[in-house]
Amino acid sequence: MLSRSNLQSLEHQSRGTVVLIELPGGGRILRLENLATSNGPDLRVYLSTTPASADWHGYDRDYVDLGALKGNLGNQNYALPNGVDLARYRSAVIWCRQFSVGFAVAPLIAQS
């Protein structure tokens, strides 16, 4: 486990845990556990260089798009592209592209 933190609500009430995991073969995934958030249009999962805060905006300035949110409830995995330097990224975000707002954010906290 590389990182584990709780989601905090932004524009929509949300809860769950974000876990960054390194797989035995060297691949990495971001896992959303026990996710509960609102459905919305064009929801994406981002790694962002913007630190997690209560601000709904700004997470789309320097980010890696991990793909469309697979569902608004439950557990889900997102593969990180090869070569992503996790040291650059400060938060994981559920982002609504249509309205340019975050639904939820979690800090990326390294595990020791």
Side-chain angles (χ1 to χ4, degrees):
M1 182 180 341
L2 303 172
S3 174
R4 181 181 193 87
S5 58
N6 292 323
L7 282 169
Q8 67 183 53
S9 299
L10 293 173
E11 208 274 328
H12 287 264
Q13 190 68 24
S14 304
R15 69 178 183 278
T17 303
V18 172
V19 184
L20 282 173
I21 300 168
E22 186 163 0
L23 301 172
R28 297 171 296 177
I29 60 169
L30 180 140
R31 180 168 174 78
L32 298 176
E33 294 182 342
N34 302 310
L35 174 66
T37 191
S38 301
N39 247 336
D42 202 10
L43 295 180
R44 311 293 295 180
V45 177
Y46 287 176
L47 295 180
S48 178
T49 59
T50 303
S53 74
D55 190 351
W56 296 359
H57 306 282
Y59 298 100
D60 62 340
R61 293 189 184 119
D62 186 7
Y63 64 93
V64 174
D65 186 344
L66 301 181
L69 186 70
K70 296 175 182 178
N72 66 316
L73 298 171
N75 301 331
Q76 45 203 274
N77 296 328
Y78 299 85
L80 274 62
N82 292 333
V84 168
D85 180 5
L86 287 176
R88 291 190 64 234
Y89 298 95
R90 300 288 175 246
S91 60
V93 184
I94 298 173
W95 184 257
C96 178
R97 280 197 305 202
Q98 182 171 340
F99 294 105
S100 296
V101 297
F103 271 38
V105 65
L108 297 179
I109 301 169
Q111 300 296 298
S112 50

